[in-house]
């Protein structure tokens, strides 16, 4: 089931999300819905708060990035096959030279800005069977995980921008929260006028 994605300004996007355990109701259905919602909006990642649930679950499918011809073959191969569910992730380390990439977010349609992030991460998480993993990821895969991980910490990519940049896009963000944009996937807008 495709669920509506909550837009910029929704309070749940500013909240630190809670861990889940194996008894979380309908967990496998929730994960299935997250995949379906992510693919329907052409995203490469989705965090549960983006569909209104303040829990620490992320899904990432980085394969669309593998089409970039400038990548070296090994990174392209990694991206091609990278599809993972992260339950209760915990960022252990972020290191390596910060690099810039033009990011977007399904909750903030039509806004893309350059964001600096560290090159490498070490993250601990549970998979769908609640097996614990600790893994190191680099480059674009790390980037997508960092972006999604931010969501469960109540952080949006726009929070990483300079105050000048934020001032420049402020009106655009307000329009998004009011639903004054056109978007081709289902969304919920926190400040949409109910009079329409
Ligand atoms: Zn996002």
């Amino acid at each position: 089931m495709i669920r509506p994605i909550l837009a910029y300004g929704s309070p749940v996007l500013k909240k630190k999300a809670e861990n889940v355990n194996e008894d979380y109701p309908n967990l496998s259905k929730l994960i299935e819905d997250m995949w379906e919602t992510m693919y329907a909006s052409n995203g490469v990642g989705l965090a549960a708060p983006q569909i209104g649930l303040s829990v620490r679950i992320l899904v990432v499918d980085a394969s669309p990035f593998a089409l970039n011809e400038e990548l070296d073959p090994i990174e392209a191969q990694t991206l091609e096959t990278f599809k993972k569910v992260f339950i209760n992730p915990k960022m252990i380390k972020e290191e390596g030279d910060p690099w810039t990439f033009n990011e977007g977010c399904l909750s903030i349609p039509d806004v893309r800005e350059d964001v600096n992030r560290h090159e490498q991460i070490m993250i601990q998480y549970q998979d769908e069977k609640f097996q614990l993993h600790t893994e190191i990821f680099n480059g674009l895969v790390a980037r997508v995980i960092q972006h999604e991980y931010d969501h469960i910490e109540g952080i949006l990519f726009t929070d990483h921008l300079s105050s000048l940049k934020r001032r420049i896009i402020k009106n655009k963000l307000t329009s998004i929260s009011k639903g004054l944009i056109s978007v081709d996937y289902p969304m919920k807008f926190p400040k949409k006028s109910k009079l329409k």
Side-chain angles (χ1 to χ4, degrees):
M1 186 178 77
I2 296 171
R3 306 211 193 181
I5 293 179
L6 274 59
Y8 182 91
S10 304
V12 68
L13 295 177
K14 301 299 284 177
K15 264 177 76 176
K16 191 176 156 104
E18 302 287 337
N19 278 340
V20 293
N21 60 34
E22 283 168 84
D23 302 326
Y24 189 82
N26 304 317
L27 183 61
S28 55
K29 171 76 169 98
L30 168 59
I31 292 166
E32 199 182 295
D33 287 357
M34 286 179 69
W35 284 124
E36 209 181 323
T37 303
M38 188 196 82
Y39 289 125
S41 50
N42 292 312
V44 291
L46 186 77
Q50 292 182 279
I51 55 165
L53 297 166
S54 195
V55 291
R56 298 176 78 83
I57 304 173
L58 320 173
V59 296
V60 173
D61 181 344
S63 58
F65 284 127
L67 302 170
N68 183 341
E69 289 160 5
E70 286 160 29
L71 293 171
D72 75 74
I74 294 170
E75 186 168 23
Q77 173 79 30
T78 308
L79 289 162
E80 175 88 68
T81 53
F82 193 93
K83 182 179 172 179
K84 258 187 214 298
V85 178
F86 296 82
I87 297 176
N88 303 329
K90 187 170 178 248
M91 196 66 81
I92 309 289
K93 237 187 329 198
E94 291 182 82
E95 58 190 2
D97 292 337
W99 63 294
T100 298
F101 186 77
N102 198 246
E103 292 191 20
C105 179
L106 296 176
S107 294
I108 316 175
D110 291 344
V111 175
R112 297 199 70 94
E113 294 292 341
D114 286 348
V115 178
N116 262 315
R117 297 187 191 269
H118 288 289
E119 207 275 329
Q120 187 178 77
I121 62 168
M122 183 191 277
I123 193 167
Q124 196 174 71
Y125 66 95
Q126 287 166 293
D127 61 23
E128 288 162 278
K129 296 182 178 115
F130 281 81
Q131 297 295 307
L132 191 65
H133 303 265
T134 304
E135 286 186 283
I136 290 170
F137 298 110
N138 299 284
L140 272 170
V141 163
R143 162 83 51 176
V144 181
I145 298 168
Q146 286 164 316
H147 177 112
E148 300 310 328
Y149 186 85
D150 270 355
H151 276 300
I152 58 170
E153 293 289 305
I155 298 164
L156 298 170
F157 84 88
T158 47
D159 295 324
H160 290 286
L161 305 176
S162 67
S163 52
L164 173 64
K165 254 279 148 58
R166 278 209 298 268
R167 272 206 300 282
I168 293 169
I169 63 169
K170 191 166 180 271
N171 289 342
K172 179 94 199 184
L173 294 175
T174 304
S175 300
I176 292 170
S177 65
K178 289 177 178 169
L180 303 172
I181 45 156
S182 83
V183 59
D184 58 6
Y185 50 86
M187 288 193 81
K188 252 189 204 163
F189 304 98
K191 294 184 181 147
K192 191 167 183 157
S193 162
K194 297 195 173 67
L195 297 172
K196 273 188 211 163

